[in-house]
Amino acid sequence: MLVRLHVVIDTEDTGIEEEIKEQLRSYCPDLSFSPSREQPSLMNCMEFYSTVQLEKEQAEVLWQTLNNDWDGEFDDCDAYGFNTIMFHPHVYYLQFQIQ
């Protein structure tokens, strides 16, 4: 199954962006990343997308690792860092989809 992440971080610091990507790679080395860009509706935030092919069990482990309280179903859910525990403190928003 194809797992797609949409990640919004609360800074434009490219060092923190790379730190977040490295942490994601530590969970799932085969992740590929889109180029990051300024998030259009949030001030001083950046966003990027990431995709990877995983077996269902691997996707479940990744899903459990990234956040503690998702909104939505396993195959299409999201979370905000201000009211949940994210895998990294600078992740503002995270969407997890299976396509």
Side-chain angles (χ1 to χ4, degrees):
M1 61 183 47
L2 179 67
V3 174
R4 179 182 163 274
L5 302 175
H6 176 206
V7 181
V8 178
I9 60 175
D10 65 4
T11 181
E12 292 182 4
D13 183 327
T14 57
I16 291 175
E17 172 201 0
E18 190 55 37
E19 181 181 305
I20 290 168
K21 288 180 177 179
E22 284 302 315
Q23 189 167 352
L24 285 168
R25 281 186 198 103
S26 76
Y27 303 140
C28 190
D30 295 331
L31 279 167
S32 62
F33 297 97
S34 71
S36 60
R37 67 177 186 171
E38 184 178 315
Q39 209 291 329
S41 62
L42 296 169
M43 191 174 207
N44 300 319
C45 291
M46 294 172 62
E47 68 182 351
F48 60 87
Y49 293 87
S50 183
T51 57
V52 65
Q53 283 287 135
L54 295 174
E55 298 296 324
K56 183 175 185 192
E57 297 78 25
Q58 295 169 308
E60 288 173 349
V61 169
L62 181 62
W63 179 79
Q64 292 171 354
T65 301
L66 296 179
N67 188 270
N68 75 322
D69 188 21
W70 295 98
D71 287 327
E73 301 299 320
F74 168 68
D75 64 343
D76 188 9
C77 54
D78 61 1
Y80 288 88
F82 58 83
N83 64 352
T84 66
I85 300 172
M86 290 287 186
F87 70 96
H88 190 282
H90 284 285
V91 176
Y92 172 78
Y93 172 80
L94 185 58
Q95 182 181 45
F96 183 98
Q97 292 182 312
I98 296 177
Q99 300 175 339

